[in-house]
Amino acid sequence: GFQGQNFELIRYGTGRSCPGIDFSVPLIDLVVANLLALFNWSLREGIFAEDLDIEEALGLTVHKKSQVK
């Protein structure tokens, strides 16, 4: 059983924060931003950019003014 002295059963970082957390959180943002930037975005056939309504409603947070169809 676990009596408190079996340190091989304690996960890494127990009792202290992970030293790599300050590096990993910004890195996740960078990876996601790069994936979004490099993705080949395109509209379905027959839909044009001029037809899209991207107007926003005012408020504490940003919401679409009309529902996405």
Side-chain angles (χ1 to χ4, degrees), residues 25-43:
V25 171
L27 186 64
I28 291 171
D29 292 342
L30 182 64
V31 168
V32 171
N34 279 321
L35 286 173
L36 290 173
L38 296 174
F39 189 79
N40 186 16
W41 296 98
S42 62
L43 296 172

PDB file of all heavy atoms in Angstrom, residues 25-43:
ATOM      1  N   VAL A  25       2.603  26.869 -21.880  1.00  0.00           N
ATOM      2  CA  VAL A  25       1.343  27.584 -22.139  1.00  0.00           C
ATOM      3  C   VAL A  25       1.476  28.531 -23.336  1.00  0.00           C
ATOM      4  O   VAL A  25       0.647  28.485 -24.247  1.00  0.00           O
ATOM      5  CB  VAL A  25       0.857  28.305 -20.868  1.00  0.00           C
ATOM      6  CG1 VAL A  25      -0.316  29.217 -21.172  1.00  0.00           C
ATOM      7  CG2 VAL A  25       0.481  27.291 -19.806  1.00  0.00           C
ATOM      8  N   PRO A  26       2.502  29.381 -23.406  1.00  0.00           N
ATOM      9  CA  PRO A  26       2.638  30.219 -24.610  1.00  0.00           C
ATOM     10  C   PRO A  26       2.918  29.393 -25.865  1.00  0.00           C
ATOM     11  O   PRO A  26       2.523  29.763 -26.960  1.00  0.00           O
ATOM     12  CB  PRO A  26       3.828  31.131 -24.303  1.00  0.00           C
ATOM     13  CG  PRO A  26       3.999  31.083 -22.842  1.00  0.00           C
ATOM     14  CD  PRO A  26       3.486  29.758 -22.391  1.00  0.00           C
ATOM     15  N   LEU A  27       3.589  28.264 -25.703  1.00  0.00           N
ATOM     16  CA  LEU A  27       3.895  27.416 -26.850  1.00  0.00           C
ATOM     17  C   LEU A  27       2.621  26.833 -27.458  1.00  0.00           C
ATOM     18  O   LEU A  27       2.502  26.731 -28.684  1.00  0.00           O
ATOM     19  CB  LEU A  27       4.850  26.301 -26.442  1.00  0.00           C
ATOM     20  CG  LEU A  27       5.358  25.432 -27.577  1.00  0.00           C
ATOM     21  CD1 LEU A  27       6.193  26.268 -28.531  1.00  0.00           C
ATOM     22  CD2 LEU A  27       6.178  24.286 -27.040  1.00  0.00           C
ATOM     23  N   ILE A  28       1.650  26.483 -26.626  1.00  0.00           N
ATOM     24  CA  ILE A  28       0.375  25.962 -27.134  1.00  0.00           C
ATOM     25  C   ILE A  28      -0.319  27.029 -27.978  1.00  0.00           C
ATOM     26  O   ILE A  28      -0.848  26.744 -29.052  1.00  0.00           O
ATOM     27  CB  ILE A  28      -0.522  25.490 -25.972  1.00  0.00           C
ATOM     28  CG1 ILE A  28       0.085  24.251 -25.333  1.00  0.00           C
ATOM     29  CG2 ILE A  28      -1.938  25.230 -26.446  1.00  0.00           C
ATOM     30  CD1 ILE A  28      -0.591  23.820 -24.059  1.00  0.00           C
ATOM     31  N   ASP A  29      -0.311  28.287 -27.507  1.00  0.00           N
ATOM     32  CA  ASP A  29      -0.905  29.376 -28.283  1.00  0.00           C
ATOM     33  C   ASP A  29      -0.218  29.519 -29.634  1.00  0.00           C
ATOM     34  O   ASP A  29      -0.872  29.714 -30.656  1.00  0.00           O
ATOM     35  CB  ASP A  29      -0.802  30.698 -27.520  1.00  0.00           C
ATOM     36  CG  ASP A  29      -1.669  30.724 -26.282  1.00  0.00           C
ATOM     37  OD1 ASP A  29      -2.594  29.895 -26.191  1.00  0.00           O
ATOM     38  OD2 ASP A  29      -1.414  31.575 -25.411  1.00  0.00           O
ATOM     39  N   LEU A  30       1.104  29.419 -29.639  1.00  0.00           N
ATOM     40  CA  LEU A  30       1.858  29.544 -30.880  1.00  0.00           C
ATOM     41  C   LEU A  30       1.547  28.406 -31.842  1.00  0.00           C
ATOM     42  O   LEU A  30       1.362  28.625 -33.043  1.00  0.00           O
ATOM     43  CB  LEU A  30       3.364  29.575 -30.565  1.00  0.00           C
ATOM     44  CG  LEU A  30       4.295  29.758 -31.735  1.00  0.00           C
ATOM     45  CD1 LEU A  30       4.076  31.110 -32.392  1.00  0.00           C
ATOM     46  CD2 LEU A  30       5.737  29.618 -31.278  1.00  0.00           C
ATOM     47  N   VAL A  31       1.452  27.200 -31.345  1.00  0.00           N
ATOM     48  CA  VAL A  31       1.161  26.039 -32.194  1.00  0.00           C
ATOM     49  C   VAL A  31      -0.232  26.164 -32.811  1.00  0.00           C
ATOM     50  O   VAL A  31      -0.415  25.962 -34.018  1.00  0.00           O
ATOM     51  CB  VAL A  31       1.289  24.729 -31.390  1.00  0.00           C
ATOM     52  CG1 VAL A  31       0.713  23.557 -32.159  1.00  0.00           C
ATOM     53  CG2 VAL A  31       2.742  24.469 -31.035  1.00  0.00           C
ATOM     54  N   VAL A  32      -1.225  26.523 -32.009  1.00  0.00           N
ATOM     55  CA  VAL A  32      -2.595  26.662 -32.525  1.00  0.00           C
ATOM     56  C   VAL A  32      -2.667  27.793 -33.547  1.00  0.00           C
ATOM     57  O   VAL A  32      -3.296  27.658 -34.602  1.00  0.00           O
ATOM     58  CB  VAL A  32      -3.596  26.872 -31.372  1.00  0.00           C
ATOM     59  CG1 VAL A  32      -4.970  27.236 -31.890  1.00  0.00           C
ATOM     60  CG2 VAL A  32      -3.667  25.625 -30.512  1.00  0.00           C
ATOM     61  N   ALA A  33      -2.008  28.921 -33.274  1.00  0.00           N
ATOM     62  CA  ALA A  33      -2.009  30.042 -34.217  1.00  0.00           C
ATOM     63  C   ALA A  33      -1.365  29.637 -35.540  1.00  0.00           C
ATOM     64  O   ALA A  33      -1.874  29.988 -36.612  1.00  0.00           O
ATOM     65  CB  ALA A  33      -1.273  31.234 -33.613  1.00  0.00           C
ATOM     66  N   ASN A  34      -0.271  28.883 -35.486  1.00  0.00           N
ATOM     67  CA  ASN A  34       0.375  28.424 -36.720  1.00  0.00           C
ATOM     68  C   ASN A  34      -0.502  27.447 -37.484  1.00  0.00           C
ATOM     69  O   ASN A  34      -0.565  27.493 -38.719  1.00  0.00           O
ATOM     70  CB  ASN A  34       1.736  27.792 -36.416  1.00  0.00           C
ATOM     71  CG  ASN A  34       2.816  28.825 -36.242  1.00  0.00           C
ATOM     72  OD1 ASN A  34       2.846  29.815 -36.960  1.00  0.00           O
ATOM     73  ND2 ASN A  34       3.681  28.605 -35.282  1.00  0.00           N
ATOM     74  N   LEU A  35      -1.173  26.552 -36.788  1.00  0.00           N
ATOM     75  CA  LEU A  35      -2.071  25.614 -37.474  1.00  0.00           C
ATOM     76  C   LEU A  35      -3.208  26.352 -38.168  1.00  0.00           C
ATOM     77  O   LEU A  35      -3.570  26.027 -39.302  1.00  0.00           O
ATOM     78  CB  LEU A  35      -2.633  24.598 -36.475  1.00  0.00           C
ATOM     79  CG  LEU A  35      -1.666  23.528 -35.998  1.00  0.00           C
ATOM     80  CD1 LEU A  35      -2.312  22.701 -34.892  1.00  0.00           C
ATOM     81  CD2 LEU A  35      -1.243  22.633 -37.141  1.00  0.00           C
ATOM     82  N   LEU A  36      -3.778  27.349 -37.504  1.00  0.00           N
ATOM     83  CA  LEU A  36      -4.862  28.117 -38.111  1.00  0.00           C
ATOM     84  C   LEU A  36      -4.368  28.933 -39.301  1.00  0.00           C
ATOM     85  O   LEU A  36      -5.056  29.052 -40.318  1.00  0.00           O
ATOM     86  CB  LEU A  36      -5.512  29.035 -37.080  1.00  0.00           C
ATOM     87  CG  LEU A  36      -6.332  28.338 -36.004  1.00  0.00           C
ATOM     88  CD1 LEU A  36      -6.787  29.328 -34.948  1.00  0.00           C
ATOM     89  CD2 LEU A  36      -7.524  27.621 -36.605  1.00  0.00           C
ATOM     90  N   ALA A  37      -3.167  29.498 -39.192  1.00  0.00           N
ATOM     91  CA  ALA A  37      -2.630  30.327 -40.274  1.00  0.00           C
ATOM     92  C   ALA A  37      -2.246  29.493 -41.493  1.00  0.00           C
ATOM     93  O   ALA A  37      -2.386  29.951 -42.633  1.00  0.00           O
ATOM     94  CB  ALA A  37      -1.418  31.107 -39.771  1.00  0.00           C
ATOM     95  N   LEU A  38      -1.790  28.275 -41.282  1.00  0.00           N
ATOM     96  CA  LEU A  38      -1.329  27.444 -42.392  1.00  0.00           C
ATOM     97  C   LEU A  38      -2.423  26.580 -43.013  1.00  0.00           C
ATOM     98  O   LEU A  38      -2.211  25.972 -44.050  1.00  0.00           O
ATOM     99  CB  LEU A  38      -0.175  26.547 -41.922  1.00  0.00           C
ATOM    100  CG  LEU A  38       1.082  27.295 -41.480  1.00  0.00           C
ATOM    101  CD1 LEU A  38       2.102  26.329 -40.907  1.00  0.00           C
ATOM    102  CD2 LEU A  38       1.667  28.094 -42.629  1.00  0.00           C
ATOM    103  N   PHE A  39      -3.601  26.539 -42.388  1.00  0.00           N
ATOM    104  CA  PHE A  39      -4.695  25.733 -42.913  1.00  0.00           C
ATOM    105  C   PHE A  39      -5.216  26.366 -44.194  1.00  0.00           C
ATOM    106  O   PHE A  39      -5.295  27.588 -44.322  1.00  0.00           O
ATOM    107  CB  PHE A  39      -5.814  25.639 -41.867  1.00  0.00           C
ATOM    108  CG  PHE A  39      -6.887  24.665 -42.230  1.00  0.00           C
ATOM    109  CD1 PHE A  39      -6.695  23.310 -42.051  1.00  0.00           C
ATOM    110  CD2 PHE A  39      -8.085  25.106 -42.753  1.00  0.00           C
ATOM    111  CE1 PHE A  39      -7.685  22.402 -42.383  1.00  0.00           C
ATOM    112  CE2 PHE A  39      -9.084  24.213 -43.084  1.00  0.00           C
ATOM    113  CZ  PHE A  39      -8.888  22.858 -42.897  1.00  0.00           C
ATOM    114  N   ASN A  40      -5.580  25.563 -45.157  1.00  0.00           N
ATOM    115  CA  ASN A  40      -6.087  26.053 -46.431  1.00  0.00           C
ATOM    116  C   ASN A  40      -7.582  26.342 -46.304  1.00  0.00           C
ATOM    117  O   ASN A  40      -8.416  25.477 -46.561  1.00  0.00           O
ATOM    118  CB  ASN A  40      -5.818  25.021 -47.536  1.00  0.00           C
ATOM    119  CG  ASN A  40      -6.184  25.551 -48.894  1.00  0.00           C
ATOM    120  OD1 ASN A  40      -6.363  26.753 -49.072  1.00  0.00           O
ATOM    121  ND2 ASN A  40      -6.306  24.661 -49.852  1.00  0.00           N
ATOM    122  N   TRP A  41      -7.909  27.563 -45.897  1.00  0.00           N
ATOM    123  CA  TRP A  41      -9.307  27.945 -45.695  1.00  0.00           C
ATOM    124  C   TRP A  41      -9.949  28.267 -47.035  1.00  0.00           C
ATOM    125  O   TRP A  41      -9.378  28.952 -47.871  1.00  0.00           O
ATOM    126  CB  TRP A  41      -9.402  29.183 -44.798  1.00  0.00           C
ATOM    127  CG  TRP A  41      -8.890  28.954 -43.423  1.00  0.00           C
ATOM    128  CD1 TRP A  41      -7.661  29.282 -42.947  1.00  0.00           C
ATOM    129  CD2 TRP A  41      -9.578  28.328 -42.356  1.00  0.00           C
ATOM    130  NE1 TRP A  41      -7.545  28.903 -41.645  1.00  0.00           N
ATOM    131  CE2 TRP A  41      -8.715  28.320 -41.245  1.00  0.00           C
ATOM    132  CE3 TRP A  41     -10.839  27.768 -42.215  1.00  0.00           C
ATOM    133  CZ2 TRP A  41      -9.074  27.771 -40.025  1.00  0.00           C
ATOM    134  CZ3 TRP A  41     -11.187  27.237 -40.992  1.00  0.00           C
ATOM    135  CH2 TRP A  41     -10.318  27.244 -39.923  1.00  0.00           C
ATOM    136  N   SER A  42     -11.172  27.777 -47.247  1.00  0.00           N
ATOM    137  CA  SER A  42     -11.910  28.115 -48.458  1.00  0.00           C
ATOM    138  C   SER A  42     -13.403  28.019 -48.171  1.00  0.00           C
ATOM    139  O   SER A  42     -13.832  27.325 -47.251  1.00  0.00           O
ATOM    140  CB  SER A  42     -11.529  27.187 -49.612  1.00  0.00           C
ATOM    141  OG  SER A  42     -11.862  25.857 -49.286  1.00  0.00           O
ATOM    142  N   LEU A  43     -14.171  28.743 -48.965  1.00  0.00           N
ATOM    143  CA  LEU A  43     -15.629  28.703 -48.839  1.00  0.00           C
ATOM    144  C   LEU A  43     -16.188  27.613 -49.731  1.00  0.00           C
ATOM    145  O   LEU A  43     -15.568  27.228 -50.724  1.00  0.00           O
ATOM    146  CB  LEU A  43     -16.220  30.056 -49.239  1.00  0.00           C
ATOM    147  CG  LEU A  43     -15.828  31.236 -48.352  1.00  0.00           C
ATOM    148  CD1 LEU A  43     -16.325  32.532 -48.969  1.00  0.00           C
ATOM    149  CD2 LEU A  43     -16.390  31.061 -46.962  1.00  0.00           C
TER     150      LEU A  43
END
